[in-house]
Amino acid sequence: MVILFFSPLLCPGVAIAQAELTVQNPWVKLAPPGASVNAAYMNLRNDSPEEKIIVAVSADCCTQVMMHQTRREGDKVYMDHHDRLIIPAQSELQLAPGGLHLMLLGANAPLTLNDKVNIHFDFADGTQHSVSIPVKKAADD
């Protein structure tokens, strides 16, 4: 699944739409029964000449979304919170199990297989983008 975000570029008298950000393979991991926390994963591709900085994330399914990085030290696993995520220019940022990811906290109702979760990104340049992401057991389901 590929989702394109469009941003209009204005030339003299002509409006041109150019895809700057692309979301590839988005999915929300189905949580075990009784769990109220889910995680979302995706690849964020930035084809613009400038870095894109995500400064906030929210979702309509839950009360809070946090940007986390999983870190292992010996046999312990930690999650480090990030206030922002940077998608370098002409590059991509991967959110994947065991690495960077979005934590969906305080679900309004348990998410079930094939539900769609609307996630909203706020960028440092003031733009906002939303994406609808399916709930799956695994990335390749």
Side-chain angles (χ1 to χ4, degrees), residues 123-135:
F123 289 84
D125 64 3
T127 60
Q128 298 176 322
H129 299 286
S130 297
V131 61
S132 181
I133 299 176
V135 176

Side-chain angles (χ1 to χ4, degrees), residues 14 33 36 45 50 56-59 63 87 97 100 105 108 111 118 123 132 134-135:
V14 180
S36 62
R45 174 83 198 159
E50 300 174 357
V57 185
S58 61
T63 59
I87 311 167
L100 285 170
L105 306 166
N108 302 327
L111 297 177
N118 294 314
F123 289 84
S132 181
V135 176

Side-chain angles (χ1 to χ4, degrees), residues 76-89:
K76 296 185 179 182
V77 177
Y78 300 92
M79 289 204 205
D80 298 327
H81 174 73
H82 289 258
D83 290 329
R84 54 183 43 208
L85 295 177
I86 298 173
I87 311 167

Side-chain angles (χ1 to χ4, degrees), residues 25-103:
N25 303 319
W27 63 291
V28 172
K29 184 173 177 63
L30 180 66
S36 62
V37 176
N38 295 78
Y41 309 104
M42 65 200 74
N43 288 341
L44 296 162
R45 174 83 198 159
N46 177 10
D47 289 320
S48 78
E50 300 174 357
E51 68 182 15
K52 300 291 184 184
I53 304 170
I54 299 170
V55 294
V57 185
S58 61
D60 57 1
C61 68
C62 54
T63 59
Q64 187 176 21
V65 178
M66 298 182 80
M67 299 176 276
H68 282 173
Q69 168 80 50
T70 301
R71 176 175 47 91
R72 292 187 183 274
E73 287 186 10
D75 59 348
K76 296 185 179 182
V77 177
Y78 300 92
M79 289 204 205
D80 298 327
H81 174 73
H82 289 258
D83 290 329
R84 54 183 43 208
L85 295 177
I86 298 173
I87 311 167
Q90 307 288 317
S91 187
E92 68 179 32
L93 180 69
Q94 184 178 33
L95 306 181
L100 285 170
H101 59 279
L102 303 178
M103 291 295 297

Side-chain angles (χ1 to χ4, degrees), residues 21 23 37 44 51 73 88 97 113 117 125 137 141:
L21 292 173
V23 178
V37 176
L44 296 162
E51 68 182 15
E73 287 186 10
L113 200 59
V117 174
D125 64 3
K137 290 181 182 175
D141 281 346

Side-chain angles (χ1 to χ4, degrees), residues 13-25:
V14 180
I16 301 171
Q18 178 183 7
E20 291 184 342
L21 292 173
T22 307
V23 178
Q24 300 170 322
N25 303 319

